[in-house]
Amino acid sequence: MIWEQLVLPTLTVLLALGIGAYAVAVLDRLIAGALGLSRAGSAWLAPLARGAWLLTQSANVTEAPDWQAWRLAPLLYLMLAAVGLALVPWSASLVATDLATSVVLWGSVEALATVVIFLHGWSANAPLALIGAYRYVALGLSYILISMFVLIGVALPAESLQFTQVVASQAELWNVIRQPLGLPLFLIVGLGVSFWGPLNLADSTDLAGGTASEVSGPPRLAWNLARAAMLVAFSGVAATVFLGGWLGPWLPGPLWLVLKMFAVLLALLLAGRLLPRLSPERCVTLMWVVLLPLSFVDLVWAGLEALL
Amino acid sequence: MAVSWLRRLAARAPVPVFPALGVHGDAMLRELALDPGVELVGSPRHASVLLVAGGVPPDQHAALRRVHDQVPRPFATLWWRSEPLDGLENATRIDAPSALSDALIAAHRDVMLGRRGSSPRLLPDEPPNPWEGLGDDGHGGEGMMGGVPYGRPMAMNMHDDLRDGLTLDSLTFRLGPFFPALPPGMQAEVTLQGDLVQTWAVQHAPYPLGLDAVFFDARQQPVSIAELELARARYHLYRLFHGLWLAGLESVGLHVLRLARSLTPDSRVDGLRRRLARCGFFDLTMTASAALDDEQARQIGGPAARAAGLADDLRSEDANYRRLGFTPVCQQEGNTRARWWQALAEIDQSLALARQAAARDVQTSEVGSVETPRGPWREGQRPQDASHLLDELLPGLEWGEALAAIASLDLAAVSEWPLDASVAEPRTTPPEEYRA
């Protein structure tokens, strides 16, 4: 009882967090190397060496920060990633929390991410961090709506807000084919929720690291870890709702999910390295004028498909 | 001191280096960017080694001390062709460029393994102005808004927002002279509402630019046009690298650096232009903002003026350039995007000129004045600093647009000293600028 309801789910989430975040770091470095941005040392060891360095570095102090919020924000972001991962079903039976409303909970994770990222920038009491925080709020409001419409689209054929039901509804046809607009739109949401690559408006180079510009040492490690973990959590959700989750022949279910998560991660990390950071104004215009109407189209498409 | 396995592991990470650039320090930065053992970071908080590259003028030592103390312990400092600050007499000074990368890696390793102590604090850990504890809320003044806590004005609405009337608290702060997204040496006082620039006041002009020695030679004697044009193309490629780094396109930026390093008359930039257009560099990262009017364009001169439609170029007055079929290339809009198109067009044109000139071994015919990549250098009149134009150009722009505009503009004066022909040769008698 305790094993099945407490230990196993916790272990699954922690393992997925740790291994996943490490895999993100290695994969990103391999991609960077393939694109001509080579760094000395082995890609497998580098994330560990970087982590060890951050652990030995002292945690920075700014003048009169909001201490509790500043130290808590990376941990809250990590917790949001953990909540996301807890919802991902690894097989029909292996799922940390099989909520009847898992789609809704994931939506709230995305919304709370905006709050936490703003908190991280605001609480440092430093100008560049604050600008990063302001910018992220503009972005956050824009992508959450897109995410909602896309997720309602996948809940329609399943007639349920439960991720396991959403997977079961894809037994005949994966949602990526059934609703072709859904996955591309959702991938943009993924870049937004982890403010990665083209949507990295919060921690960008023109702000010397933005919300993380004043952070050093272990809190910075926690922040970087949380960002990687959020990518993993997102890729788990994307693989679940669009790529048929654990479904697939020959291999065991969890392995299928891992492979699909890798595919999503690869797409996100490649986009992160190949595309420039959007200017905030372009970004907001793109979201409201192009992508949001496209998500309406996606929803209408899903509705018609469900009726027929 | 017992060295833990954690520190041994940490010593194997690529060295995170924060570069504080002094005069002519940016030449070294471009070498380090391609070094796989070094990772250049944008904030001193993210560094393990503080690299001061080039001489820092005495009036900026106070700022350098603050940057020094912002690096989290344990850390090391390294001084490339620069005199260490008072209080850091034991710091390592390096003059030979070839030794720099190894010295950076060794400094990080030594600090991690406890072979050398962290650089000492230079400033007392206290606010620059005391907390006065006066007034209703301890803010140091009369009434709600009267105080200047810690010597800074409170964030309050002194003026309406420039864009849409949605008034936010104004935030005033100083930026530079070591902020890596600004030209080296530039310092500005900025007031923002949200991320919108309300005022921008340049307080310290950027350091003079070091140009390739061939532009200095061209004022004394005829020089090979091929060599001159390659140096020009290289200069613009270096600027493009900075713009790409700022836009988050690090891998393309390094590609540009490698191209600049191995530039020959047969090099081509068509592929680069296509790649930039395809990934959205011209359309997604910037808006059609920060357009120069004719007067501003004339004050800056050079490529910035040609991007605004002024076809002024001293090369038109050179008979041998005319024989090669030279006519100035221009854009019309004069905004950030037009300036990057102009930079690519000028690189393309320079390579084409270099190809023709190399085949026929053509030299310049005019001496005394030369069109530098920064602008026209007429008799005795070097291109002058124009950074004060930012004060009128940037208000009303978003933060990202403002910094993209600064990256696309080349505003610093031209230094009276050429850049070392290659940073591979240590200078024995440093000119005045190098001495801090």
Side-chain angles (χ1 to χ4, degrees), chain A residues 36 39-40 45 49-50 53 57-58 60 63 131 205-208 212-216 220 276-277 279 281-282, chain B residues 9 12 36 38-39 42-43 45-47 72-73 150 152 192 245-247 258 279 283-285 399 401 403:
Chain A
R39 293 259 178 267
L45 196 64
R50 165 51 61 97
W53 170 62
Q57 195 188 32
S58 58
N60 174 53
E63 189 183 307
I131 303 171
T205 44
D206 62 350
L207 293 171
S213 62
E214 297 287 339
V215 186
S216 71
R220 182 155 176 250
R277 187 184 61 252
S279 97
E281 194 190 319
R282 294 272 157 181
Chain B
L9 186 57
R12 300 178 65 165
V38 172
E39 184 197 350
S43 163
R45 310 294 198 191
H46 301 169
R73 295 164 74 93
Y150 296 129
R152 271 161 297 187
L192 299 175
W245 167 79
L246 196 66
R258 285 193 199 99
C279 76
D283 299 315
L284 296 178
T285 67
W399 179 263
E401 290 173 334
L403 289 192

Side-chain angles (χ1 to χ4, degrees), chain A residues 233-255:
Chain A
F234 171 82
S235 69
V237 172
T240 299
V241 299
F242 284 107
L243 300 176
W246 70 79
L247 299 173
W250 310 306
L251 298 174
L255 203 55

Side-chain angles (χ1 to χ4, degrees), chain B residues 30-372:
Chain B
R30 298 189 279 262
E31 295 296 312
L32 285 180
L34 286 170
D35 195 311
V38 172
E39 184 197 350
L40 296 172
V41 297
S43 163
R45 310 294 198 191
H46 301 169
S48 172
V49 180
L50 171 70
L51 169 69
V52 182
V56 175
D59 60 341
Q60 293 184 339
H61 281 186
L64 186 56
R65 273 196 194 91
R66 282 198 294 277
V67 170
H68 174 274
D69 279 14
Q70 280 174 13
V71 187
R73 295 164 74 93
F75 73 103
T77 61
L78 211 73
W79 302 73
W80 187 71
R81 294 186 185 175
S82 187
E83 205 49 55
L85 287 172
D86 296 339
L88 297 176
E89 283 76 13
N90 296 329
T92 318
R93 182 186 161 133
I94 301 263
D95 283 359
S98 53
L100 185 58
S101 156
D102 290 340
L104 287 166
I105 293 168
H108 172 68
R109 190 157 296 164
D110 288 353
V111 166
M112 281 300 121
L113 299 180
R115 288 186 211 140
R116 83 191 231 184
S118 176
S119 192
R121 289 273 170 251
L122 296 176
L123 299 170
D125 188 11
E126 60 188 31
N129 294 283
W131 180 256
E132 294 183 33
L134 293 173
D136 305 337
D137 305 293
H139 51 69
E142 295 298 317
M144 269 298 285
M145 298 300 208
V148 280
Y150 296 129
R152 271 161 297 187
M154 308 233 318
M156 51 186 170
N157 306 324
M158 294 304 288
H159 36 195
D160 287 338
D161 171 77
L162 289 175
R163 179 170 47 183
D164 50 14
L166 176 68
T167 310
L168 297 166
D169 281 343
S170 309
L171 182 66
T172 301
F173 59 97
R174 270 199 310 271
L175 202 65
F178 302 108
F179 185 57
L182 294 184
M186 187 166 123
Q187 187 179 322
E189 186 167 282
V190 188
T191 300
L192 299 175
Q193 283 193 30
D195 77 336
L196 199 79
V197 177
Q198 306 290 316
T199 64
W200 185 288
V202 173
Q203 294 181 322
H204 197 298
Y207 301 134
L209 294 164
L211 291 182
D212 194 292
V214 68
F215 294 104
F216 290 75
D217 296 344
R219 298 183 59 245
Q220 315 293 336
Q221 68 210 33
V223 295
S224 151
I225 287 186
E227 198 189 329
L228 197 67
E229 291 307 314
L230 282 185
R232 188 187 312 279
R234 206 173 289 124
Y235 179 93
H236 291 311
L237 284 171
Y238 288 152
R239 286 186 46 224
L240 184 60
F241 159 69
H242 178 72
L244 291 172
W245 167 79
L246 196 66
L249 277 172
E250 203 181 354
S251 53
V252 190
L254 293 187
H255 170 72
V256 166
L257 271 191
R258 285 193 199 99
L259 181 67
R261 192 187 248 187
S262 60
L263 202 66
T264 68
D266 294 320
S267 303
R268 291 283 197 279
V269 289
D270 306 339
L272 175 67
R273 185 190 289 118
R274 269 198 306 275
R275 189 169 168 187
L276 289 180
R278 220 179 282 145
C279 76
F281 174 66
F282 299 106
D283 299 315
L284 296 178
T285 67
M286 56 188 85
T287 49
S289 57
L292 301 172
D293 60 33
D294 279 3
E295 177 51 35
Q296 292 166 330
R298 214 164 272 123
Q299 279 188 50
I300 300 173
R306 291 192 283 277
L310 304 178
D312 297 335
D313 196 317
L314 285 178
R315 287 176 285 179
S316 314
E317 296 168 17
D318 187 306
N320 284 349
Y321 266 106
R322 284 200 301 273
R323 268 177 47 212
L324 293 176
F326 173 83
T327 48
V329 285
C330 288
Q331 317 289 318
Q332 291 309 317
E333 294 82 7
N335 54 31
T336 304
R337 186 185 303 151
R339 284 188 285 275
W340 285 126
W341 279 117
Q342 177 71 18
L344 279 164
E346 297 222 356
I347 295 168
D348 219 9
Q349 186 185 38
S350 287
L351 290 174
L353 285 169
R355 263 194 299 282
Q356 292 183 50
R360 289 147 62 180
D361 195 22
V362 189
Q363 297 208 318
T364 54
S365 64
E366 297 285 325
V367 291
S369 57
V370 61
E371 180 74 23
T372 72

Side-chain angles (χ1 to χ4, degrees), chain A residues 168-219:
Chain A
S169 75
Q170 300 176 72
E172 287 170 12
L173 191 62
W174 291 358
N175 281 335
V176 64
I177 302 167
R178 192 187 278 160
Q179 301 169 11
L181 281 175
L183 185 59
L185 286 171
F186 199 53
L187 286 179
I188 293 166
V189 172
L191 290 174
V193 73
S194 53
F195 49 107
W196 202 268
L199 299 188
N200 184 3
L201 300 183
D203 284 9
S204 56
T205 44
D206 62 350
L207 293 171
T211 71
S213 62
E214 297 287 339
V215 186
S216 71

Side-chain angles (χ1 to χ4, degrees), chain A residues 151-164:
Chain A
L151 286 177
I152 294 171
V154 296
L156 273 178
E159 297 179 17
S160 164
L161 292 168
Q162 195 166 11
F163 277 152
T164 43

